[in-house]
Amino acid sequence: MSEADRSFTASIPPVAIVGAGFSGTMVALHLAETLPPGQQVLLCEAESFACGTAYGTGNPSHLLNVRAANMSAFADRPAHFAEWLETVRWECPEQIRATDAGEFASRGLFRRYLCSLLDRAEAGAPGRLQKIPAEIVDIARDGAGFVLRTAGGASHAASAVVLAIGNLPPPDGGHVLYRTNPWAPGVTKGLRQGLPVLIRGTGLTMVDLALDLRDGGFAGPVIALSRRGLLPHRHAPSRPWPTPELDDAERGSISLLLARLRWEAQRAEARGVGWRGVVDSLRPITADIWGRLSPAERGRFLRHVRPYWDIHRHRLSAPVADQVQAMLESGFLQVRRGRLAGAAFGHERVEALIQPHGAEDAETLTVQRVISATGVPSAAEAASPLVQALCGRGMARLDARAFGLDVTETLAVRDAAGQPIPGLWALGPIVRGVFWECVAVPDVRVQARRVADAVAADTRAAGPCAR
Ligand SMILES: Cc1cc2nc3c(=O)[nH]c(=O)nc-3n(C[C@H](O)[C@H](O)[C@H](O)COP(=O)(O)OP(=O)(O)OC[C@H]3O[C@@H](n4cnc5c(N)ncnc54)[C@H](O)[C@@H]3O)c2cc1C
């Protein structure tokens, strides 16, 4: 390092990243390569590093819902994950499943991949990455930079902060027999045989829970309840379909958009490509479509279309879809249309009042536990101390529907007045209210690169003194 470099870097506080799931880990890896020599990266994580809600599962039945070929951590090296899989295949062939729609690995293996990337980055630049195993509960401005406060009361100065706080889990709460957080440890444990378990929701999280219950020895039945009773579709072979060139009217109206998609899907079916190619073709323009929809049209999407969109967009790998089919056929899993209208809790059982779809009368179902699996909650429901503190200070605001944080096109966090805060960034599922399609690896990896490049450029532009 030159003398000039040394004097430059010595005066720059580190860049802090809050959250070390996929998003935060990837930003850290990129920054480790692009920040000026000597400037540190603080990677702050409340739970496990390089893991997050998605990849913390220890159940090998939980497969990725994206093909291995699309799960590279790097957009510019699309085969990276698939190549890494080759190096571990001999150890755990049962965790890599070949299907007619491509290979699907277990989510635990993806975690191993992420950990290996983080380990390599740490080894490659000793001292550059500093892991802070703590929950960050507050961030305040400090001159041109920031100071982060941990739940334990420690403080860390930073020149810039990246919020990668991801899928905020629902708060644990309610009753011991009514679990509101489907990802909490032990949520499928401690059951006895004989009485059903009721799951609210029939999506991907319900499927994870049903597999956990089955693999944990529970004999069933598991009753999954949702208004429409829709299960996710399965991945199947499909070919790429050209991204439709939508006109302004289609971009502004959910009904016109749907009509166009149906038309595209019919054409794709007729040409042997199938509807999956059409759904996948929207990925590059989904954020733009979402960004241009009026609040009223977004509301229409959320009320009427979202459940259908979700089951077509977020699909099950074939091995998992086969297991769902088997669980349905054996009666272990029962899917019902309706809603939970109330619950009376006894010592070891719950009398769940179910309002079946289309029926006049509610019915009572006696179950031993209710687990809510209705998806990642909005930031308003999740009640993260950090988000509350940032919003309380006026350093952040929620997006219009309170899904998460409001950010600019370039991922800068907007303050209470809507102005971007220099040096404060956010990415991943926590900004899904702004982009919608930014929760899965193929989208998040692009955001991670963009944020890292912006932070590095900012640091260079700020020079030795600023921030
Ligand atoms: C169950 C599940 C399965 C999924 N499966 C797939 C899949 O197969 N393929 C795919 O592409 N996508 C999948 N996804 C989408 C997933 O959102 C992304 O792949 C990706 O994991 C998101 O990463 P993230 O780091 O933004 O969020 P998260 O994984 O949620 O990580 C956020 C991290 O931030 C930490 N954190 C939060 N607040 C604080 C704080 N205040 N202080 C310190 N740390 C904090 C959390 O502890 C957590 O580790 C899945 C999502 C879920 C929920």
Side-chain angles (χ1 to χ4, degrees):
M1 196 193 307
S2 72
E3 196 55 45
D5 277 342
R6 245 194 307 275
S7 61
F8 173 59
T9 56
S11 58
I12 310 177
V15 172
I17 301 168
V18 184
F22 178 75
S23 304
T25 301
M26 290 315 299
V27 175
L29 294 187
H30 294 314
L31 285 177
E33 287 180 358
T34 52
L35 285 181
Q39 187 177 17
Q40 272 196 319
V41 178
L42 306 184
L43 187 55
C44 313
E45 171 55 55
E47 305 283 341
S48 301
F49 285 84
C51 181
T53 317
Y55 311 113
T57 171
N59 186 342
S61 298
H62 290 167
L63 298 183
L64 294 167
N65 54 37
V66 175
R67 293 174 182 85
N70 281 349
M71 284 295 289
S72 167
F74 307 95
D76 57 352
R77 282 175 274 168
H80 196 265
F81 178 58
E83 285 166 8
W84 178 86
L85 274 184
E86 290 310 317
T87 66
V88 297
R89 184 183 294 275
W90 63 276
E91 288 175 52
C92 44
E94 73 292 347
Q95 291 193 47
I96 307 169
R97 308 289 299 272
T99 79
D100 56 0
E103 278 197 327
F104 291 82
S106 73
R107 301 215 297 265
L109 262 187
F110 192 76
R111 181 186 181 193
R112 228 178 111 184
Y113 168 64
L114 260 190
C115 286
S116 74
L117 295 177
L118 189 57
D119 288 347
R120 216 172 50 201
E122 284 185 281
R128 170 78 121 177
L129 277 177
Q130 194 189 338
K131 286 181 179 159
I132 312 247
E135 181 184 1
I136 302 300
V137 291
D138 197 5
I139 299 172
R141 286 184 191 247
D142 183 24
F146 302 90
V147 60
L148 292 80
R149 193 165 58 77
T150 70
S155 294
H156 299 277
S159 60
V161 179
V162 178
L163 301 173
I165 53 182
N167 300 292
L168 297 174
D172 287 317
H175 195 276
V176 67
L177 301 182
Y178 189 162
R179 305 292 174 89
T180 50
N181 179 359
W183 300 293
V187 80
T188 56
K189 299 282 187 289
L191 296 161
R192 54 197 192 286
Q193 307 295 356
L195 266 187
V197 169
L198 176 65
I199 300 180
R200 287 183 62 214
T202 55
L204 294 172
T205 305
M206 178 284 289
V207 172
D208 279 355
L209 290 168
L211 292 171
D212 271 343
L213 287 161
R214 182 203 63 184
D215 295 351
F218 181 59
V222 173
I223 299 169
L225 179 75
S226 72
R227 280 177 193 235
R228 295 176 181 80
L230 297 170
L231 287 167
H233 284 285
R234 68 164 59 211
H235 279 282
S238 98
R239 293 200 307 275
W241 184 255
T243 299
E245 286 185 19
L246 305 174
D247 61 31
D248 284 349
E250 287 165 334
R251 282 178 184 269
S253 152
I254 285 294
S255 340
L256 292 179
L257 194 56
L258 278 182
R260 172 71 186 267
L261 292 184
R262 284 201 191 97
W263 182 73
E264 295 280 346
Q266 277 165 10
R267 287 175 58 225
E269 291 287 341
R271 289 175 198 194
V273 172
W275 58 262
R276 290 169 179 82
V278 175
V279 171
D280 296 349
S281 77
L282 295 179
R283 180 163 243 154
I285 56 170
T286 309
D288 185 57
I289 296 172
W290 180 254
R292 292 201 207 187
L293 287 175
S294 66
E297 287 299 297
R298 286 186 186 184
R300 291 186 65 206
F301 170 81
L302 294 170
R303 273 194 308 282
H304 306 299
V305 183
R306 183 182 180 178
Y308 299 96
W309 171 253
D310 281 351
I311 60 164
H312 287 84
R313 181 78 197 81
H314 304 290
R315 305 191 285 271
L316 294 170
S317 63
V320 173
D322 288 344
Q323 292 178 67
V324 170
Q325 192 54 36
M327 290 191 289
L328 288 168
E329 283 168 9
S330 69
F332 174 85
L333 176 62
Q334 299 168 16
V335 172
R336 301 204 39 191
R337 284 186 74 181
R339 65 185 178 83
L340 183 63
F345 298 99
H347 179 49
E348 286 187 322
R349 54 182 59 202
V350 187
E351 303 295 334
L353 192 64
I354 308 289
Q355 181 61 58
H357 175 80
E360 289 215 339
D361 296 328
E363 63 183 76
T364 300
L365 200 64
T366 304
V367 300
Q368 57 176 310
R369 186 174 295 174
V370 182
I371 308 175
S372 186
T374 51
V376 175
S378 70
E381 290 160 335
S384 144
L386 176 60
V387 171
Q388 286 176 346
L390 284 169
C391 292
R393 285 181 181 283
M395 281 175 63
R397 68 178 188 184
L398 301 185
D399 63 77
R401 295 217 161 243
F403 280 119
L405 296 173
D406 194 10
V407 290
T408 65
E409 277 288 293
T410 52
L411 302 162
V413 173
R414 290 185 191 275
D415 67 13
Q419 295 303 312
I421 297 193
L424 187 58
W425 312 86
L427 78 159
I430 195 62
V431 299
R432 70 189 189 280
V434 178
F435 298 100
W436 192 254
E437 191 80 270
C438 61
V439 297
V441 162
D443 305 296
V444 177
R445 66 189 179 193
V446 177
Q447 287 194 338
R449 180 82 256 181
R450 280 175 62 198
V451 166
D453 286 350
V455 172
D458 226 22
T459 305
R460 280 193 296 272
C465 304
R467 273 214 289 284

